[in-house]
Amino acid sequence: MSSLLNNKTKVSWITVAVLLIGFWLPARAAEAPGGITILVKDQVTDRAISSALITITERETHSTRSVETDLKGRAIVEQLDPGLYSVNAAKNGFASSYEPSLRVITRKNIQIEFELLREASIERVVVRARQADVFASASSTYINREELRSAVGGGADPLLSLDGLPGLASTGEFASFSVRGRGPRDNLLFVDDFPFDKAVHFDATLGEEEDVGGGGRFSIFAPNVISGAEFSPGGWGPAYGGRTASLLKLEVAGGNPGPSASLRLDLAGYEVGYDGPAGITEDSTVLVSARRLDFGALFETIEELDIGEPVLRDVIVKSVIPVNQNHTFEILLLDTHEDYTRGVTHVFASPNFEDAALLDFEQDSDLYGLTLRSLIGDTAVWTNKVYYRNSDKLSSEGEAFPDLVPPGSPASSFPVRENIITIGEGEKEFGWRSDFETLNRWGVFSAGIQATQIELEYFTALDGDWNRYVYDEDDYRPNPDQRFIVLTPQDTNASLNQKEISYAGYVDQVFELGDWDIRTGLRLERDGFADENIASPRFSVNWRPGNEVRYFFTAGLFHQSPRYLDLAANEANELKTEKITHSSVGFEYVLTNNWSLLTEAYFQNLDNLVVDLDRVSGTFANMGDGTSYGIDIVVNGTIREGIYATATYSYNDIVIDRKDGRGEVAADFSREHVATLGLTWEINDHWKVAGRYKFLSGRPDEEFVIHSDVLGPNQPLRYSKEITARNVGRKSSYSLLNLRVDYRRAFGPVDVTAFLDVINVTEASSSDDTEFDYRRGVEVVDDSEAEPLIGLRLDYAW
């Protein structure tokens, strides 16, 4: 599956041109007006703010309208011409808040929420309408709905839209990403504050090394489903734990006040949705999204017949149900499915039979969550969540032998060995989370408790001995002169059937002392699968000596739970949590009202790291340690109204000592330098163009020896790759250029949005991922080509 969607460039560019030219045609009638509903709340207490002054400015004509919020903190502005608007919210005692770009579409009433900060925390500074929690993490970033769905390189995937955030490295057209040298599976992900680590499709358990280590391909979210994403590369508070590389909190949109239906089409499939009133209580809303993407049919159309047949389906339902002024229910339903098959006909179509794997993957993953948010007294917020998560994944791999028949033989004549290895991953999780936050005489106090019961049913079954031709020099072989390894049922078969309850509790106090905010917190938890009680203190300081500058310091101890697959690989694997001691220092400087600079330097001690001991027996141990340090620099600015620029630079040096006698080496996902430069131009109400340039250092390289004819006389010719040193040297650096064009226009009552997003315009090549062809004894590098992503969305409001 390594070439999954790597060759979409064979889609006819003539077709692309026809699609875009078609939208240049003028609409037959004037566009019907739309509207905006503005909600204004206190960011800390979540209370509605009445009598806030809302100023709406039409970007094209510069005409303005002003209204005030009612007792519910709400203001409704109707009869707005479709197009781009800026919105400002102001209230005495609070910092003003500003949204520079909000799109109104025909006949639809859209909703935007402002969270105002008390001036005691930030003095007369104009901030974005929604931003990261000011106390959450020093370098946290908030990305709103419009930015997510129209980000260059984002295509139709919100996780791709995270590209360019501090410390984050994303290499291409897939949703997985690494942060500060840690792997994609080290990232902590929450959806509406529910833990959900199955948010990326095709996270392979078997197959080529690129797929197994890559962290997945496409997120489960359609582009319009996520209303906001908050990202932190480190130093977050004690409310969250379990992973250590980064924290990503995704918020599913809850529906707009007015009803609308949508249809989105792209090259692989479709999405349908409803967004509007739920009719349960006054002001209750619901969002429904259902999509199906069939990449197998796409690959047949573009004659890429060797990749396989990946199919995915996602259904997402989010409903917000206000009971009264103080209590609100939220319901979240996620139902996702994926399957991927690669059979002998795909092997037949593979150039030089480079990939002879027979693969069959299937996964169902669901989340059902209920939230009750209650306002207690004058300033307290009490949030309770209960959820059930279920995941059932079955992966099998086999092998075809096209070289054992005469050249030119049909695929049906290839000898095959199906389902040589099968891995099952069953997970059931019940959880409850309760969080309380209130103002007190020192500042802001928060506390919470969490309890989860997780039941695992994992197994690995090997159907007979299996020769593998890529191995480490210290992997077990009965004869040291044997130039390949053999997986046997005796060493490989394993199972894990275990049910554990884990608990966590935390307290957090922010002391507001004039220009200083000092945060102290402690997280206590019981990790059932690690059989360990752990304490994680957290500490941070913010100092704002003036309106233009903020200095910060963070420190804390973070723990990462062992991966279930590692626990299940061998009954002898008794793994504890990894420990990361983090500290950082930095500053944020507002150069002008339009430009800001953020710099953060960090250092981390990595202890008790899980390392693999032997791939034959599947053994792992907490033997590794290491260090990670670096700096992130982020510049954001507005060149003029409608033209926005971002630039980021991240340096990272992360080394791991696996205690295998080789000493410290670079970590698997280490990249010393990552730099991005992005530019977005909202030309007018209809056209938007954007570009992003990325430079990435290569990942660590390896030293190896290729052996020939390893099976000996009278056996098929096979080569093997013996890895003598991992993570030494560097693969070559490379750069990417992504470009995007968005176009919107109403055709009668239907609002039409189209985009063309081209990833890697210059077809820059990368040597990061290669695969070994054991029939020819060569390293195969995937071709690097431009990746055009095309989408068309139709919205109808009534």
Side-chain angles (χ1 to χ4, degrees):
M1 196 167 57
S2 64
S3 56
L4 183 61
L5 288 189
N6 279 353
N7 297 295
K8 289 184 294 185
T9 50
K10 294 191 178 180
V11 176
S12 170
W13 286 90
I14 296 176
T15 303
V16 175
V18 169
L19 282 173
L20 292 178
I21 291 172
F23 292 118
W24 294 346
L25 300 176
R28 294 184 178 179
E31 298 183 18
I36 304 176
T37 296
I38 301 102
L39 299 178
V40 183
K41 296 181 178 180
D42 185 312
Q43 188 185 73
V44 177
T45 68
D46 206 36
R47 265 58 177 186
I49 298 177
S50 62
S51 302
L53 179 64
I54 307 298
T55 303
I56 300 174
T57 303
E58 186 175 6
R59 291 262 298 271
E60 190 170 38
T61 65
H62 299 287
S63 61
T64 64
R65 294 172 63 178
S66 296
V67 294
E68 287 191 352
T69 57
D70 59 19
L71 293 177
K72 294 182 178 181
R74 180 174 58 187
I76 301 174
V77 183
E78 297 177 315
Q79 297 298 309
L80 294 173
D81 292 333
L84 294 173
Y85 291 79
S86 62
V87 185
N88 186 81
K91 171 75 173 180
N92 288 337
F94 293 85
S96 298
S97 191
Y98 178 70
E99 180 54 57
S101 182
L102 182 67
R103 181 174 293 282
V104 173
I105 65 176
T106 184
R107 296 162 47 118
K108 188 171 183 177
N109 188 312
I110 61 174
Q111 183 169 290
I112 181 174
E113 185 174 297
F114 287 84
E115 294 185 346
L116 301 189
L117 293 166
R118 293 168 296 133
E119 285 190 345
S121 297
I122 294 183
E123 299 179 0
R124 297 183 177 84
V125 177
V126 178
V127 298
R128 289 291 300 271
R130 286 289 300 273
Q131 61 173 14
D133 183 352
V134 69
F135 302 123
S137 176
S139 54
S140 291
T141 305
Y142 183 86
I143 306 176
N144 65 29
R145 193 175 192 175
E146 178 61 27
E147 292 168 331
L148 286 170
R149 64 189 171 193
S150 63
V152 60
D157 197 320
L159 293 192
L160 276 172
S161 301
L162 304 177
D163 196 16
L165 293 180
L168 184 147
S170 176
T171 58
E173 76 276 27
F174 298 129
S176 59
F177 57 89
S178 58
V179 178
R180 292 178 173 176
R182 305 300 303 279
R185 297 188 181 93
D186 297 328
N187 299 311
L188 183 60
L189 196 149
F190 282 78
V191 180
D192 277 5
D193 256 358
F194 296 108
F196 193 67
D197 64 352
K198 310 297 182 184
V200 181
H201 282 296
F202 305 118
D203 185 0
T205 303
L206 295 171
E208 298 177 351
E209 290 191 15
E210 174 195 352
D211 299 312
V212 173
R217 298 303 190 186
F218 313 100
S219 83
I220 66 172
F221 304 106
N224 202 46
V225 167
I226 300 300
S227 64
E230 183 176 328
F231 171 81
S232 172
W236 55 86
Y240 300 96
R243 289 287 179 267
T244 57
S246 72
L247 171 63
L248 176 63
K249 297 193 292 182
L250 300 175
E251 181 182 356
V252 179
N256 284 302
S260 66
S262 63
L263 170 66
R264 188 180 64 84
L265 305 171
D266 64 25
L267 296 174
Y270 63 89
E271 173 209 356
V272 295
Y274 169 80
D275 177 8
I280 301 173
T281 64
E282 184 181 4
D283 298 329
S284 64
T285 61
V286 65
L287 178 140
V288 180
S289 171
R291 70 171 179 173
R292 185 180 188 274
L293 303 180
D294 185 345
F295 296 102
L298 169 63
F299 297 152
E300 287 187 15
T301 301
I302 64 177
E303 297 183 351
E304 292 296 332
L305 304 178
D306 64 318
I307 301 176
E309 300 178 7
V311 179
L312 64 86
R313 170 189 53 76
D314 301 306
V315 177
I316 299 175
V317 180
K318 167 76 175 287
S319 183
V320 179
I321 308 170
V323 178
N324 53 42
Q325 188 173 352
N326 293 324
H327 302 284
T328 301
F329 275 109
E330 293 182 5
I331 299 172
L332 177 66
L333 307 176
L334 306 180
D335 182 346
T336 74
H337 173 82
E338 66 184 56
D339 62 68
Y340 171 70
T341 57
R342 187 175 192 272
V344 68
T345 58
H346 305 107
V347 174
F348 180 81
S350 176
N352 300 311
F353 305 127
E354 291 169 354
D355 187 356
L358 307 175
L359 302 173
D360 191 354
F361 306 155
E362 185 172 3
Q363 175 172 292
D364 287 289
S365 187
D366 307 314
L367 173 69
Y368 309 100
L370 178 65
T371 300
L372 173 61
R373 183 172 291 104
S374 301
L375 306 183
I376 309 296
D378 294 330
T379 62
V381 182
W382 185 22
T383 304
N384 284 276
K385 294 177 176 288
V386 293
Y387 66 93
Y388 170 73
R389 182 182 67 83
N390 178 69
S391 177
D392 188 10
K393 182 177 182 180
L394 191 66
S395 309
S396 66
E397 181 177 359
E399 188 175 359
F401 303 92
D403 58 331
L404 300 185
V405 296
S409 299
S412 59
S413 68
F414 290 0
V416 297
R417 187 179 171 194
E418 297 180 323
N419 302 325
I420 301 175
I421 188 170
T422 302
I423 296 180
E425 305 166 55
E427 303 176 13
K428 295 180 180 178
E429 178 178 355
F430 293 91
W432 169 59
R433 174 173 182 163
S434 183
D435 297 273
F436 180 81
E437 183 175 76
T438 188
L439 297 179
N440 57 23
R441 61 176 179 170
W442 299 291
V444 181
F445 172 80
S446 58
I449 54 176
Q450 303 157 20
T452 59
Q453 176 185 279
I454 300 177
E455 181 179 359
L456 303 181
E457 293 184 5
Y458 276 52
F459 72 86
T460 301
L462 185 66
D463 184 17
D465 293 355
W466 194 21
N467 295 343
R468 308 303 286 155
Y469 300 102
V470 178
Y471 63 98
D472 288 315
E473 63 178 0
D474 56 357
D475 282 339
Y476 171 75
R477 287 160 287 154
N479 179 357
D481 294 329
Q482 178 178 297
R483 300 305 186 186
F484 58 96
I485 60 175
V486 181
L487 303 184
T488 66
Q490 179 182 357
D491 291 327
T492 303
N493 288 357
S495 64
L496 175 66
N497 293 278
Q498 189 174 350
K499 181 190 296 185
E500 297 290 348
I501 298 177
S502 297
Y503 307 94
Y506 73 91
V507 292
D508 199 21
Q509 176 68 53
V510 177
F511 297 91
E512 297 179 340
L513 306 172
D515 297 334
W516 296 79
D517 297 326
I518 302 174
R519 181 175 193 169
T520 59
L522 177 65
R523 180 180 179 87
L524 301 173
E525 55 188 314
R526 165 72 180 174
D527 191 313
F529 288 98
D531 192 20
E532 191 175 8
N533 299 315
I534 52 182
S536 305
R538 313 282 168 86
F539 178 78
S540 66
V541 175
N542 279 283
W543 177 40
R544 299 183 181 87
N547 294 342
E548 296 82 17
V549 66
R550 172 176 68 103
Y551 301 97
F552 55 82
F553 169 78
T554 68
L557 180 61
F558 296 79
H559 292 81
Q560 178 155 304
S561 301
R563 192 174 176 218
Y564 299 144
L565 269 174
D566 295 346
L567 288 170
N570 191 301
E571 293 180 0
N573 294 339
E574 295 182 359
L575 303 178
K576 301 298 183 180
T577 60
E578 299 179 339
K579 300 177 182 179
I580 287 79
T581 305
H582 165 91
S583 60
S584 72
V585 62
F587 67 90
E588 183 178 23
Y589 183 65
V590 181
L591 289 79
T592 68
N593 286 336
N594 294 330
W595 290 90
S596 66
L597 167 68
L598 184 140
T599 300
E600 181 179 23
Y602 59 88
F603 180 84
Q604 296 176 338
N605 268 319
L606 315 175
D607 296 306
N608 226 30
L609 301 181
V610 174
V611 298
D612 61 304
L613 303 181
D614 181 70
R615 70 175 73 200
V616 174
S617 59
T619 50
F620 296 80
N622 292 95
M623 294 178 56
D625 59 34
T627 60
S628 175
Y629 65 89
I631 187 170
D632 297 323
I633 300 173
V634 182
V635 177
N636 288 305
T638 301
I639 298 175
R640 66 175 178 82
E641 186 178 66
I643 302 180
Y644 313 105
T646 62
T648 65
Y649 169 73
S650 296
Y651 170 79
N652 173 258
D653 186 314
I654 178 171
V655 293
I656 305 296
D657 187 348
R658 300 174 179 271
K659 307 303 180 183
D660 55 3
R662 299 174 183 174
E664 292 185 339
V665 297
D668 291 343
F669 291 89
S670 168
R671 295 185 188 275
E672 288 187 328
H673 307 282
V674 177
T676 71
L677 178 62
L679 187 67
T680 301
W681 181 20
E682 295 172 337
I683 300 173
N684 53 40
D685 288 348
H686 301 294
W687 288 97
K688 179 178 180 180
V689 297
R692 183 179 299 278
Y693 170 82
K694 297 195 294 184
F695 172 84
L696 302 100
S697 294
R699 284 170 51 183
D701 210 343
E702 61 189 12
E703 296 177 356
F704 58 87
V705 177
I706 294 179
H707 304 285
S708 62
D709 199 15
V710 297
L711 295 183
N714 302 318
Q715 295 295 322
L717 177 61
R718 294 291 183 266
Y719 297 82
S720 69
K721 175 181 174 181
E722 180 181 4
I723 301 172
T724 57
R726 285 187 177 271
N727 298 21
V728 293
R730 288 277 170 184
K731 297 180 180 180
S732 59
S733 302
Y734 61 100
S735 58
L736 301 171
L737 177 63
N738 302 335
L739 296 176
R740 177 170 176 135
V741 179
D742 289 81
Y743 181 79
R744 187 213 65 83
R745 182 178 289 277
F747 290 82
V750 178
D751 194 88
V752 180
T753 304
F755 74 83
L756 170 63
D757 202 348
V758 185
I759 297 175
N760 194 12
V761 173
T762 59
E763 300 186 348
S765 61
S766 164
S767 61
D768 275 349
D769 296 306
T770 60
E771 295 298 334
F772 179 65
D773 182 350
Y774 54 83
R775 289 175 172 79
R776 296 184 296 146
V778 297
E779 290 275 274
V780 179
V781 180
D782 283 337
D783 293 331
S784 296
E785 298 178 326
E787 310 289 344
L789 307 175
I790 304 169
L792 177 66
R793 179 183 173 93
L794 310 176
D795 283 275
Y796 175 76
W798 64 91

